[in-house]
Amino acid sequence: MQFPSPVSVQWIASFIDAELIGNVNGSATGINEIHNVMEGDLVFVDHPKYYDKCINSAASFIIINKTATVPGGKALLIVADPFEAYSKIVEHFSPFKASLKAISDSAIIGEGTVVMPNCFVGNNVRIGKNCIIHPNVSIYDNCILGDEVEIHSGTVIGSDAFYFNTKKNREVWYKKMSSCGIVLIEDNVEIGAGCTIDRGVSAVTKIGKGTKFDNLVHIGHDTVIGKNCLIAAQVVVAGCVVIEDGVTLWGQVVVNKTLTIGANAVLLGTSGVTHSLEGNKTYWGTPAQDAVLARRELVWIKRIPQLWDKVMGK
């Protein structure tokens, strides 16, 4: 999430009651979680496993719960509970606003677009020209749809990220990170019935131009899907995945978090993707592997009883 204008790190430190060390005269341009940070961003870290990664990331300002060496040009904001400090900042700059109408007064809907009955279009949503939004679709606040997009019944665009801060030394183990990102759907995309596309935690979940979804597809937070992809029914894609242009995912494919599927790859039905995959290949199985090799292995597995009988002299 980008701030409306740069925010003094001294003001932020005062706001969250932090000790400030390092670049005390800097200004933050936005707030992000670790997977999406860029120069000028504010980020938080509260686990030793990620201290070095966070401090040495592209982020310029780090909310942290320990003193550490500060790289040049960066600043640390030291607090007892970085997650609570992060949440306070997000809630200040992106507060929850109830929408009391089916179509918000602040929504912008392009010429030639049809929004059918029982739809919800939230605050500051932008929908392009010549779109068709079928009945019972919900489009949450701040989401953006391009031109000639079609969304079928029962689909939800922009629901919160499934993303939690976990601490097992407190009564409530899982505390949700407030989602201040959006969903961006580019031109000529079709989304089937009963799909769910989560907004980014602090950045963008993106569906590229010309991509088509079947029914009952789920896309996790901050995932970026390229142009002209084909996603069949019951596909599940976790958060922070990059799916490059021209990829096909057939029915019931499951894709694990924070990996990349290369351009023009094809995943055959029921495959499980547990690691990044090269483009221009066809994959099958769990974990997904080259489909030719996977079929060959099956042939050999079926021959095991015959081979066993031969070894035993039967």
Side-chain angles (χ1 to χ4, degrees):
M1 178 183 72
Q2 294 297 294
F3 296 139
S5 59
V7 180
S8 162
V9 71
Q10 294 185 24
W11 181 90
I12 295 171
S14 175
F15 182 63
I16 62 176
D17 194 24
E19 177 189 355
L20 178 62
I21 60 174
N23 179 18
V24 299
N25 296 314
S27 293
T29 54
I31 188 167
N32 257 319
E33 52 93 24
I34 187 61
H35 298 293
N36 290 295
V37 290
M38 60 185 70
E39 185 177 354
D41 275 347
L42 179 69
V43 69
F44 88 94
V45 60
D46 61 358
H47 194 290
K49 180 179 178 180
Y50 301 108
Y51 285 157
D52 288 343
K53 178 180 179 180
C54 202
I55 291 171
N56 295 299
S57 71
S60 300
F61 309 98
I62 299 96
I63 304 171
I64 193 170
N65 53 357
K66 63 164 284 184
T67 301
T69 302
V70 188
K74 297 190 179 188
L76 300 185
L77 297 93
I78 303 169
V79 297
D81 192 332
F83 170 71
E84 294 295 341
Y86 173 93
S87 296
K88 184 177 181 180
I89 294 166
V90 169
E91 288 161 10
H92 176 80
F93 286 99
S94 182
F96 172 76
K97 297 178 181 178
S99 185
L100 303 178
K101 293 185 175 181
I103 299 178
S104 171
D105 291 336
S106 61
I108 298 173
I109 299 175
E111 181 181 357
T113 288
V114 175
V115 179
M116 296 190 187
N118 297 323
C119 287
F120 170 77
V121 179
N123 298 310
N124 304 311
V125 167
R126 298 189 346 234
I127 303 176
K129 299 177 181 179
N130 302 315
C131 298
I132 302 174
I133 312 300
H134 289 276
N136 302 310
V137 168
S138 293
I139 305 173
Y140 283 35
D141 292 359
N142 304 312
C143 292
I144 301 171
L145 279 63
D147 297 336
E148 298 183 20
V149 171
E150 186 167 7
I151 311 291
H152 289 275
S153 296
T155 284
V156 178
I157 307 294
S159 47
D160 281 353
F162 187 74
Y163 201 80
F164 297 88
N165 178 263
T166 304
K167 292 286 184 296
K168 294 188 177 181
N169 61 352
R170 61 194 180 199
E171 185 177 4
V172 177
W173 288 4
Y174 309 109
K175 289 190 176 182
K176 186 170 76 172
M177 287 183 65
S178 298
S179 296
C180 56
I182 66 167
V183 173
L184 169 62
I185 297 177
E186 295 187 337
D187 298 348
N188 302 107
V189 169
E190 182 168 355
I191 307 294
C195 297
T196 52
I197 305 176
D198 289 350
R199 67 179 55 243
V201 175
S202 54
V204 178
T205 303
K206 180 179 176 182
I207 313 299
K209 184 175 182 179
T211 287
K212 312 297 182 186
F213 283 20
D214 196 355
N215 304 326
L216 301 173
V217 170
H218 172 72
I219 305 298
H221 66 86
D222 298 288
T223 282
V224 176
I225 297 179
K227 299 177 182 178
N228 298 312
C229 294
L230 196 64
I231 314 292
Q234 297 184 346
V235 164
V236 175
V237 180
C240 300
V241 171
V242 175
I243 296 176
E244 296 181 352
D245 296 348
V247 169
T248 299
L249 304 181
W250 290 118
Q252 296 186 332
V253 166
V254 176
V255 183
N256 207 349
K257 65 180 182 178
T258 59
L259 51 77
T260 298
I261 299 177
N264 305 309
V266 177
L267 272 296
L268 300 180
T270 71
S271 295
V273 184
T274 59
H275 57 280
S276 293
L277 299 174
E278 295 180 14
N280 300 301
K281 293 183 177 181
T282 299
Y283 299 92
W284 184 49
T286 302
Q289 60 176 316
D290 185 290
V292 173
L293 294 177
R295 289 194 179 99
R296 189 178 299 162
E297 286 179 359
L298 278 181
V299 170
W300 280 102
I301 289 169
K302 288 180 179 179
R303 291 184 63 187
I304 287 174
Q306 299 173 21
L307 293 172
W308 179 254
D309 287 347
K310 187 174 182 180
V311 169
M312 299 301 293
K314 293 183 180 180

